Amino acid sequence: MSLHSARGLHDDGCFQDVLVAVGLAKDGAPRKTGSGTPMRGLRRIKTSGPQTHKLPFGVMWSITLVTAVTMAVINFFTIWIISFAVEWKFSTLQLMVDKFGVWFAILGFTGICSCLALCCTLFIFTCAPAAGGSGAPENKGFLNGNEMPELFTLQNLVGRAIATMLANVTGYPVGREGPTVTMGSNLAYLITHVAALPFVRQWVDVDAPGSATSAATMIDEDRFEHAKRIVCTVGGACGMAMLFDSPIGGIVYMFEEITSSSWPVEVTFRAFAGTSVCALVSRALLNMCGTSTKAFVIYEWNPQPTGWSWHDVPFFMLLALLMGPFSAFHTRACLAVASVRQTLMQRLSAYQPYNKMADAVLYGGLVALTYSLVALLANCKHTAQDAAQFVRYDCEEGKYNPVASLLLTTSEGAVKRLFSRHDANEIHFRNELLAFVSYTALNIGLTGVPVPSGNFTGSMLIGGLVGRMMGALVRDYGPGMAVSGVYAMVGSASMLAGFKQMAVAVVVFITGAANDLGLIPPLMLAVTLSLLLNKLINERGFDEEQILRKAIPFLPPEPPRLMDRVVALDLRDDLPPEAALQPEADYNAIQLALQQDKARDYPAEAVSDAGGEQMGKLISATVARESSFSGNVLPVKRLTERAPYTILEDMPGPRLYALFAKAGAKAACVISEKGEPPTQGQGGSLQRRGDTRRHCL
């Protein structure tokens, strides 16, 4: 096993904290009494293992409920602010069209969107640089069991919330899904850190020969991190549950996102209760204001008794066969655009961060200009349905613009119109094609722009447009054919399943939006065909590709095939001799060990009564903050415990992989059959890196 520092090796504060903690240096800060101090009682650290937190029942449930209620409140204010700002933006556009003409209105609308994009980017780069993306890949890496420093902070939480609202009001072809899930995990992380910290602290005896008996507090990081990941999963599920008013959908989404290997048994019921409370509180807040949650989620209220027939099944299958490859190439196109944009930004790195800010502002203006110009190509139609759900734009009173009704609105509003079963003759094939080409192109081009973006709703809109077009083509095929809104739902499910490479959550969300359980069979059929074809072309989904490209630590459940030919000795890190600590280490030895750039974990060799047995413990930078230790050496052996795992140097790679990917191990020590370190190099340790490209731990 090994000793591990939670902070960077170059962090002077980390080294100073350790020295102050064990009495080798003095802390100039005044000591606070009674603030989170654990019960004083000298005892050894008791290992609970990586798969349990053992926190009090009331503490964990209090954290869960507070997270759920707080997420509901955040969602309430978010949707109200976005709906008010979007209504103002489009009403201003219509006012300029009526008073000054369409061309002046286009220029004014482009200027408004560009100013909103400027506000968004200024806020991101000045207040919360980490909020410049969805945060979904990083969140997956953390929930997978890896360390993600500075990911979940109060600054990032507030910054991502404000930036997400600004990005959606600007009109980028994005949704709120990715940022909202990350916000849910971020909120849960902060709440758990405050509420659970006193329960994972404990006093340990750190006396050494020649010094007085002393005590210090330590934090059991295994328990602490495990508790955080449980509640962070619940927070992410609450985020998705609110967006679609589907508690079960939120749970299934998170389960498919982090895979079963990172899903503790305790999470299921806790997420069930958390998402239920979150959905109920959201409804209560909206009902108090005289509205309903259905006004802010994708929902089709009036399903037909029989939404489809067997005549539609061949066309559903054809639609899925088209959307599977299309979603795969759409993913590749997005990744290609991201690579090109990254290369361009690197060439303009001398102008950082103004190059990225200019990119975001110009793209925001381009989106508004493109939507406005494409909408001019549509033919105005007489309003046959409720005029409130359509956009008039450049049409005269009593008519509406079908393309503007899909583009000059929010993504959620556009998907609602596509899913509707009562406007089959209101949009038409040509208008849907115009909207599809423009929205898809801009959605692909957005990849890499530093603004919070969720691709869930965007994928649904693209698939819905394709399904709607096919529904229009087969509308007059014969009696019993489904309306085009049903085809839009099947197209959305097919596109979303391929792009995200998930199945069950997609069916749950679309079924809930359709308010029709009878659509489950065709949706499952379409998702199955689309996902099979997508995986034949792309090995991984969009988020997984982002994880690889960003080098985010992530261990998939199953080991890569290359590990079949390696053993534990081939995967170990050769640590310098200075990184190995003795049972009792002095000031110079500790300082020299922490200065080793290649070392993240420090093997601690101690001799037990049986002789020659490896011992170690993951030790954090916050170890022993309150200490009366006055000796001149650190008793490393008192900060260690017996290694929970024994890895022989000839153990096959796939066998030890499960310890890190499924059992939660972060570091281990490779030993020979005699219980000694390997003869090659010093301190042969394994570390959890989670980099699937390097295939090492």
Side-chain angles (χ1 to χ4, degrees), residues 606-628:
V607 180
S608 66
D609 296 337
E613 184 174 350
Q614 300 296 318
M615 302 177 67
K617 171 65 184 175
L618 296 175
I619 182 172
S620 76
T622 56
V623 59
R625 286 192 180 276
E626 301 180 25
S627 174
S628 58

Side-chain angles (χ1 to χ4, degrees), residues 246-286:
S246 176
I248 299 298
I251 297 173
V252 177
Y253 173 85
M254 291 302 296
F255 182 81
E256 291 197 81
E257 276 283 276
I258 67 176
T259 70
S260 59
S261 62
S262 303
W263 186 272
V265 177
E266 180 183 349
V267 174
T268 303
F269 181 59
R270 199 173 297 281
F272 184 88
T275 53
S276 300
V277 171
C278 185
L280 290 174
V281 174
S282 296
R283 290 196 177 202
L285 292 173
L286 292 171

Side-chain angles (χ1 to χ4, degrees), residues 79-113:
I79 60 179
W80 269 111
I81 294 174
I82 292 178
S83 61
F84 174 80
V86 169
E87 182 179 357
W88 168 83
K89 184 179 72 171
F90 289 122
S91 62
T92 302
L93 170 63
Q94 192 63 57
L95 182 63
M96 289 189 294
V97 171
D98 296 337
K99 286 190 174 182
F100 305 105
V102 66
W103 293 107
F104 180 87
I106 291 176
L107 293 177
F109 182 68
T110 303
I112 291 175
C113 293

Side-chain angles (χ1 to χ4, degrees), residues 41 63 128 131 192-193 208 223 225 238 242 289 293 304 320 337 356 364 418 477 492 527 579 634 654 690:
I63 295 173
T192 308
H193 188 84
R223 293 172 56 202
E225 292 300 317
C238 288
M242 292 183 312
C289 297
T293 185
Q304 297 178 351
V337 168
K356 294 183 178 180
L418 293 175
Y477 178 77
S492 290
V527 165
L634 172 67

